[in-house]
């Protein structure tokens, strides 16, 4: 059984930084990708960052310069700096088969999500 567990999140002041960790267990394959997505109230879910077992990484244009991605085989950690209210959302981690564009395509295994709230 695939398990995806997120940690981090919480309330942060505008201009601050945040660290989100994702740990995956039980994935039945050697080559896979993990990704962070987020969904703000009233908005569609969007990809944030991703990393794969072969070292392939990706991030959303517009956030790349504020983002650090650390990926080990079964974990994906992102650090986001210079947070603004626009970063307020529920952040989800997901895992699925390898793909070149690791923020694209369907992800079938999801965590429960962690709330990030950025305040003035």
């Amino acid at each position: 059984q695939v398990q995806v567990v997120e940690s981090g999140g919480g309330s942060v002041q505008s201009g601050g930084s945040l660290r989100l960790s994702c740990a995956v267990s039980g994935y039945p394959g050697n080559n896979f990708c993990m990704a962070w997505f987020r969904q703000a109230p009233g908005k569609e879910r969007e990809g944030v960052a991703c990393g794969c077992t072969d070292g392939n990484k990706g991030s959303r244009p517009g956030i790349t310069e504020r983002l650090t991605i650390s990926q080990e085989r079964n974990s994906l950690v992102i650090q986001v700096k210079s947070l603004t209210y626009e970063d307020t959302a529920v952040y989800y981690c997901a895992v699925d088969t390898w793909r070149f564009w690791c923020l694209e395509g369907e992800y079938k295994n999801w965590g429960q999500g962690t709330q990030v709230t950025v305040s003035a």
Side-chain angles (χ1 to χ4, degrees):
Q1 183 178 357
V2 180
Q3 289 191 317
V4 182
V5 179
E6 303 112 334
S7 60
S11 296
V12 185
Q13 286 194 325
S14 181
S17 61
L18 196 67
R19 183 176 186 271
L20 298 177
S21 299
C22 176
V24 169
S25 61
Y27 189 80
N30 292 322
N31 299 313
F32 54 88
C33 294
M34 301 170 64
W36 279 100
F37 295 84
R38 67 184 182 185
Q39 187 165 21
K43 294 187 177 181
E44 293 188 356
R45 186 173 62 200
E46 61 184 20
V48 178
C50 56
C52 306
T53 49
D54 65 344
N56 183 31
K57 291 184 178 65
S59 59
R60 180 180 185 81
I63 195 173
T64 302
E65 62 276 11
R66 301 191 288 123
L67 189 69
T68 301
I69 305 170
S70 300
Q71 194 261 336
E72 299 290 339
R73 179 166 180 80
N74 291 86
S75 71
L76 184 67
V77 176
I78 60 172
Q79 298 189 71
V80 188
K81 63 181 181 181
S82 303
L83 291 165
T84 71
Y85 175 75
E86 298 299 318
D87 294 308
T88 295
V90 179
Y91 285 70
Y92 298 91
C93 184
V95 62
D96 215 311
T97 56
W98 185 91
R99 69 282 314 270
F100 186 78
W101 299 110
C102 53
L103 281 182
E104 300 293 332
E106 180 186 18
Y107 277 82
K108 293 186 289 295
N109 306 285
W110 292 83
Q112 294 296 311
T114 183
Q115 176 70 48
V116 171
T117 303
V118 183
S119 58

